[in-house]
Amino acid sequence: MHANSPPGSVFALDLSGLKAATVTVWSAWAGERIASIGALKMLADGSAEVKSMRTHPDFLRMGAAAAVLEEIVRAARARQVRRLSLETGCGPEFEPALALYLRYGFRSGERFADYEPSAFNQFLHLDL
């Protein structure tokens, strides 16, 4: 993320953030290898955020990220989340992820949580 984002524009969770009580992490595996990860962060207002979506380069465009995103959406619905949101960057490096989110019904929208809008970031939402 840091290689493709301006300084101060990466909001990825570190290990301590992924261990927070409000965060659940999922992974997709191919045999003994991790293919993709993603997380769901519950927000105080009853909504939730998709966090830390990453796919190993060997598994790009093979369905691993889609499988993780489907599980995140399923879990959010089971938790009666009313809106699922995410923040991501702009530019060619982010286009495959953006295409995935749009394919699953996410739409561009307003900022949420504590994010500040910039020329680099964008916000997507999925009403559940």
Side-chain angles (χ1 to χ4, degrees), residues 3-72:
N4 298 312
S5 304
S9 297
V10 176
F11 303 105
L13 295 176
D14 62 10
L15 184 57
S16 65
L18 291 171
K19 290 181 174 182
T22 57
V23 176
T24 304
V25 179
W26 286 271
S27 56
W29 292 75
E32 301 281 322
R33 299 180 66 203
I34 192 162
S36 188
I37 66 164
L40 177 68
K41 179 180 181 183
M42 300 302 296
L43 301 175
D45 65 358
S47 63
E49 179 180 4
V50 175
K51 293 292 290 182
S52 300
M53 289 289 295
R54 302 285 179 276
T55 301
H56 188 281
D58 291 350
F59 299 101
L60 293 174
R61 289 175 258 320
M62 297 176 70
V68 171
L69 183 59
E70 287 172 11
E71 185 61 23
I72 290 170

Side-chain angles (χ1 to χ4, degrees), residues 108-124:
S108 294
E110 71 282 355
R111 73 173 192 89
F112 67 98
D114 295 330
Y115 290 107
E116 290 297 325
S118 73
F120 177 72
N121 64 359
Q122 56 185 317
F123 308 100
L124 298 146

Side-chain angles (χ1 to χ4, degrees), residues 48-108:
E49 179 180 4
V50 175
K51 293 292 290 182
S52 300
M53 289 289 295
R54 302 285 179 276
T55 301
H56 188 281
D58 291 350
F59 299 101
L60 293 174
R61 289 175 258 320
M62 297 176 70
V68 171
L69 183 59
E70 287 172 11
E71 185 61 23
I72 290 170
V73 171
R74 186 203 62 71
R77 284 191 171 115
R79 295 176 190 187
Q80 300 180 341
V81 168
R82 58 182 173 74
R83 185 172 82 164
L84 193 53
S85 301
L86 64 93
E87 181 274 344
T88 192
C90 295
E93 298 84 4
F94 295 90
E95 289 303 318
L98 184 58
L100 173 69
Y101 300 134
L102 294 175
R103 192 167 62 246
Y104 278 83
F106 284 83
R107 297 293 173 247
S108 294

